[in-house]
Amino acid sequence: RSWVTLRRAANACAEALASELVDAGLTESQFGVLEALKHLGPLHPCDLAAKILRTTGNLTLVLDQLERRGLLRRERSASDRRYVTVHLTEAGATLIGELFPRHARRVAELSSVFSPEACRQFGDACRTLGLHAAAHVRS
């Protein structure tokens, strides 16, 4: 029952957050890429995939879509042409600069149902569950 409740809550939160992304013409994955690049700077696609919890195969499609829109660019290393880093363009930085503060406020609004202590405990419980599940998959 707890698992179903957790999944329903996660889906409801994702849906509540999705409307602003849809209005900007972005998917959750596309937003995640822009947000990661905004806060972490240029990244290798594998590192980017790990940060947004997506596969590298899925990420390639997301990067292609964002690059076509002029929101990011891929740069090959001058010393090793096989090595690529993903960078925000000025348009991408502007878009995520406008979207992220509204998104963060919306997340805070959704989380306000919890006291700060309950929010911390919930985060700790989710982290514990995630670490346990990850260890179970690898064993």
Side-chain angles (χ1 to χ4, degrees), residues 5 15 18 44 48 68 71 78 96 104-105 107-108:
T5 303
E15 190 174 321
H44 184 276
L48 195 48
R68 273 195 299 275
L71 300 175
I96 194 64
R105 279 193 300 276
V107 169

Side-chain angles (χ1 to χ4, degrees), residues 99-122:
L99 284 177
F100 184 77
R102 292 195 311 255
H103 183 79
R105 279 193 300 276
R106 188 72 177 121
V107 169
E109 288 170 16
L110 293 173
S111 302
S112 70
V113 68
F114 295 120
S115 69
E117 178 60 20
C119 197
R120 187 193 62 74
Q121 289 174 346
F122 179 67

Side-chain angles (χ1 to χ4, degrees), residues 5-32:
T5 303
L6 177 61
R7 294 292 303 253
R8 285 184 178 151
N11 289 344
C13 288
E15 190 174 321
L17 294 169
S19 64
E20 280 191 13
L21 303 183
V22 169
D23 290 347
L26 296 174
T27 65
E28 184 180 338
S29 294
Q30 292 169 340
F31 176 82

Side-chain angles (χ1 to χ4, degrees), residues 5 13 27 39 60 68 76 85 87 90-91 98 102-104 110 112 118 126 131 133-134 138:
T5 303
C13 288
T27 65
H39 290 104
T60 299
R68 273 195 299 275
R76 295 198 178 275
T85 53
H87 301 254
E90 188 175 323
E98 293 168 358
R102 292 195 311 255
H103 183 79
L110 293 173
S112 70
C126 288
L131 291 171
R138 293 184 188 117

Side-chain angles (χ1 to χ4, degrees), residues 38-60:
K38 172 184 172 45
H39 290 104
L40 301 174
L43 292 170
H44 184 276
C46 289
D47 297 329
L48 195 48
K51 292 291 181 195
I52 69 163
L53 309 175
R54 298 293 188 260
T55 65
T56 54
N58 174 257
L59 185 69
T60 299

